[in-house]
Amino acid sequence: GAGVSQTPSNKVTEKGKYVELRCDPISGHTALYWYRQSLGQGPEFLIYFQGTGAADDSGLPNDRFFAVRPEGSVSTLKIQRTERGDSAVYLCASSSAQGPLYGYTFGSGTRLTVV
Amino acid sequence: EDKVVQSPLSLVVHEGDTVTLNCSYEVTNFRSLLWYKQEKKAPTFLFMLTSSGIEKKSGRLSSILDKKELFSILNITATQTGDSAIYLCAVGGSSYKLIFGSGTRLLVRP
């Protein structure tokens, strides 16, 4: 696609529920990144994919968070047993190769609210 | 630990004013510094700086990097209400991650 597409735009869920957030990167971009932005803060790195594999998941806060990219294009961020502290904007970005020197385009984000 | 600090945290100006936003950093193996504008959720790219002393310019916006003193500034001249947004500074080191500052929230009043 022309840009990075994220769905849903907004998600409200109850504490303890499972959610999936989807990211469709720019066509042909091999690198895909997930960031989380809490209110009043800058985005924080969660996970990086090069192709199908998660090259670095060191930013995932705990084992309730998991992400996949099975065909090297669309990625899904999965959060189990959601907590109120998970409320944030989840941003996805993609680039043509590894790192910001190769362009780093962000999607519009998913605003997750856990009530 | 890598860190990026932006100042001021927030700023209120009137249309036509000139503003300067600051970004200082401590990042291992610095490679690039990026400025983004965030109006709703999506950060939109403004500039990428890799070399010291070379000003990047786009319309009323300009930015420069000082790799010796480890900071960058973003200038906006003749501000307009449409410039109201959060301005994010991010630094890329030896890895693919961007380290972001907390942002400067700019409000331009008519």
Side-chain angles (χ1 to χ4, degrees), chain B residues 60-80:
Chain B
R60 297 177 294 102
L61 278 65
S62 64
S63 184
I64 197 161
L65 173 67
D66 185 329
K67 288 168 73 172
K68 182 179 176 186
E69 300 298 328
L70 307 183
F71 79 90
S72 173
I73 59 172
L74 174 68
N75 277 320
I76 309 174
T77 59
T79 50
Q80 301 171 356

Side-chain angles (χ1 to χ4, degrees), chain A residues 44, chain B residues 1-4 25-28 99:
Chain A
E44 293 180 313
Chain B
E1 183 181 338
D2 293 342
K3 65 178 179 181
V4 176
Y25 62 90
E26 292 177 28
V27 174
T28 306
I99 311 297

